[in-house]
Amino acid sequence: MKSEPLSYLGKDGGPWEIFVEQVDRVVPYLGRYAPLAESLKRPKRVLIVDVPIHLDDGTVAYFEGYRVHHNTARGPAKGGVRYHPEVTLSEVMALAAWMTIKNAAVGLPYGGGKGGIRVDPKKLSPGELERLTRRYTSEIGILLGSDRDIPAPDVNTGEREMAWMMDTFSMNVGRTVPGVVTGKPIALGGSLGRRDATGRGVFVTARAAAEKIGLPIEGSRVILQGFGNVGNAAARIFHDHGARIIAIQDHTGTIYNEAGIDPYDLLKHVAEFGGVRGYPKAEPLPNPEFWAVPAEFLIPAALEKQITEQNAWRIQAKIIAEGANGPTTPAADDILLEKGVLVVPDVIANAGGVTVSYFEWVQDFNSYFWTEEEINARLERVLRNAFEAVWQVSQEKKIPLRTAAYVVAATRVLEARALRGLYP
Ligand code: NAD
């Protein structure tokens, strides 16, 4: 008898369908685990919750919340919580699945999870946001736990929300449980090095790729899209290692200086004016020209679907290290492959954040905290090992790094699934 297809998404699967397609593409490389691949196309559990809150004006508003465990064969579910007016179940399912892949690709002992609330947080007061976060945490509390499901920040959530989530969960169980979320403030058991971790990981994996093709960092030229958490950390670390940041694009415009832009100085400008536009020590550049700037490294660190059929052929960079999630479309991937551009895929290039989240969780269990130097050294080791494993598979099977990363990750997940067997 054949498996029954999932019915709860209806006809329009949205981002979830992209993930299912990605699984189909790696099945031919999964060898004896291929027959188990169907398990990746079915989330382990999906919870939809109603989140009612008192608004400041005394009325009650209702929001839709989700928490999805995609796969927990390798460990507890791990993944962020997103507040956005366009969050859908399909999106949360896909994001949870990509966390399964990312955690397995890097070798962290986690499964994949994700959560979200369909809400525009900019329309809520801090008090309303706190009530929303606490009620949501309570509603999904049946899934949470430091050994079951560990949320973290994602779009529009941060340290503040993580503090509320940790407190709510702790109040409900009657004891303080710091390890139930990561990305917390340092004062509540957060980790040193977490803030720059994703940008640092982008640098570490880009450098590992550069070593493979004999490209030195010192003296190289770097262009970045996005100068937020990920982009500015990556820019500073490249700069500290002797690279020249020559072009940066953000939501306000594009700036260019062949002699190099000092990211520390630019940060002050961005803090004052809200974006890179108008930075006096660089020239403005029309946005579409950004992609064609000659450079050794291109770092997309803003939004998804930025490198497309329209601009991929103009890219001159030798290495693209994906700080953002999903910045390159499949069609653009094909063009870049043809052009010989080496793409370090998001699932390893931006895995520095979840890696230091893992360190935070370990430190919380032991109530023993490491120095920033220890964190950075361990982060580098984890990501270099992850890159090396993916590189080997890509060489052996003659496939791009992205496909190789999926092969490594899916094999690890399905191996765990096979070893555990099917209960009952
Ligand atoms: P952020 O909000 O701190 O920064 C986003 C940057 O993108 C800003 O500089 C903004 O100006 C720029 N941007 C927005 N719209 C743009 C546009 N239309 N054109 C050009 N630039 C634009 O976000 P972040 O935390 O740095 O995340 C960036 C990406 O990295 C996202 O895809 C996110 O999912 C991914 N990511 C982040 C982390 C993390 O730890 N923060 C971890 C893994 C992946």
Side-chain angles (χ1 to χ4, degrees):
M1 191 176 151
K2 279 193 74 135
S3 317
E4 287 294 323
L6 302 177
S7 71
Y8 47 76
L9 280 179
K11 279 211 164 58
D12 176 19
W16 173 251
E17 276 183 1
I18 297 176
F19 173 73
V20 169
E21 255 184 70
Q22 290 170 334
V23 172
D24 287 336
R25 253 184 281 139
V26 296
V27 168
Y29 303 103
L30 295 180
R32 65 195 162 113
Y33 296 123
L36 291 176
E38 176 66 22
S39 68
L40 295 174
K41 298 193 210 167
R42 311 179 75 91
K44 180 178 173 64
R45 44 175 87 93
V46 168
L47 178 65
I48 304 176
V49 295
D50 180 35
V51 189
I53 59 162
H54 281 291
L55 298 179
D56 294 345
D57 66 7
T59 60
V60 174
Y62 300 83
F63 299 94
E64 192 168 298
Y66 312 95
R67 187 72 188 167
V68 173
H69 290 180
H70 170 255
N71 187 293
T72 57
R74 301 182 61 260
K78 182 100 191 78
V81 173
R82 173 173 292 199
Y83 291 175
H84 197 276
E86 268 134 48
V87 164
T88 60
L89 177 59
S90 171
E91 180 186 57
V92 178
M93 282 167 56
L95 289 165
W98 287 323
M99 286 307 296
T100 302
I101 298 297
K102 192 179 294 189
N103 290 328
V106 180
L108 304 178
Y110 290 134
K114 203 79 178 193
I117 307 179
R118 207 171 155 79
V119 60
D120 184 353
K122 291 179 192 75
K123 294 194 177 140
L124 296 184
S125 71
E128 290 166 340
L129 267 177
E130 178 172 353
R131 294 195 284 281
L132 182 84
T133 305
R134 288 185 181 279
R135 181 62 187 252
Y136 169 72
T137 307
S138 242
E139 292 296 339
I140 65 164
I142 50 173
L143 297 187
L144 300 182
S146 52
D147 56 356
R148 304 175 72 199
D149 177 359
I150 308 112
D154 192 68
V155 174
N156 288 324
T157 60
E159 290 184 4
R160 180 181 65 168
E161 286 73 20
M162 294 307 111
W164 290 333
M165 289 189 80
M166 188 279 262
D167 183 69
T168 303
F169 182 84
S170 298
M171 287 296 152
N172 286 346
V173 299
R175 64 180 195 283
T176 298
V177 188
V180 72
V181 294
T182 60
K184 298 180 295 295
I186 302 277
L188 295 180
S191 179
L192 294 169
R194 175 67 179 86
R195 242 171 243 161
D196 280 357
T198 306
R200 184 172 297 281
V202 171
F203 172 77
V204 167
T205 51
R207 183 170 60 180
E211 282 168 11
K212 295 292 184 192
I213 60 169
L215 190 67
I217 297 285
E218 193 157 358
S220 66
R221 296 163 299 175
V222 181
I223 63 174
L224 293 111
Q225 187 198 40
F227 197 65
N229 179 304
V230 178
N232 98 62
R236 281 183 282 116
I237 298 166
F238 266 99
H239 173 85
D240 293 347
H241 285 79
R244 239 180 327 140
I245 314 297
I246 61 167
I248 299 183
Q249 177 177 98
D250 74 358
H251 68 287
T252 64
T254 305
I255 57 169
Y256 172 77
N257 183 345
E258 182 61 31
I261 297 164
D262 178 348
Y264 294 92
D265 192 54
L266 178 62
L267 261 180
K268 290 182 212 151
H269 175 87
V270 171
E272 192 175 345
F273 299 101
V276 302
R277 191 171 59 181
Y279 181 61
K281 297 174 197 164
E283 304 292 319
L285 200 67
N287 278 340
E289 296 313 307
F290 168 80
W291 305 102
V293 170
E296 281 67 45
F297 295 92
L298 162 60
I299 299 171
L303 309 169
E304 62 279 6
K305 292 192 189 146
Q306 294 301 296
I307 303 177
T308 65
E309 278 166 288
Q310 273 71 46
N311 57 19
W313 60 274
R314 299 185 69 201
I315 288 174
Q316 303 200 40
K318 295 196 167 54
I319 291 180
I320 297 178
E322 295 182 336
N325 280 313
T328 311
T329 65
D333 251 338
D334 293 342
I335 296 171
L336 295 169
L337 184 66
E338 209 169 296
K339 280 170 61 87
V341 180
L342 185 56
V343 179
V344 187
D346 48 7
V347 289
I348 47 176
N350 72 28
V354 68
T355 303
V356 175
S357 269
Y358 164 60
F359 297 159
E360 177 176 335
W361 181 71
V362 170
Q363 293 171 87
D364 286 339
F365 270 125
N366 295 320
S367 299
Y368 180 76
F369 291 87
W370 311 340
T371 64
E372 192 156 356
E373 290 70 35
E374 282 173 295
I375 305 265
N376 291 345
R378 288 175 203 248
L379 170 64
E380 177 151 357
R381 199 159 61 227
V382 168
L383 289 183
R384 284 191 79 95
N385 288 344
F387 178 86
E388 194 55 42
V390 169
W391 179 266
Q392 290 307 332
V393 170
S394 120
Q395 295 291 302
E396 278 161 25
K397 299 193 187 296
K398 305 200 182 339
I399 51 178
L401 287 176
R402 192 186 312 282
T403 316
Y406 271 73
V407 171
V408 168
T411 302
R412 286 178 180 162
V413 174
L414 297 178
E415 182 191 7
R417 164 74 176 66
L419 289 169
R420 288 177 69 151
L422 184 59
Y423 174 87

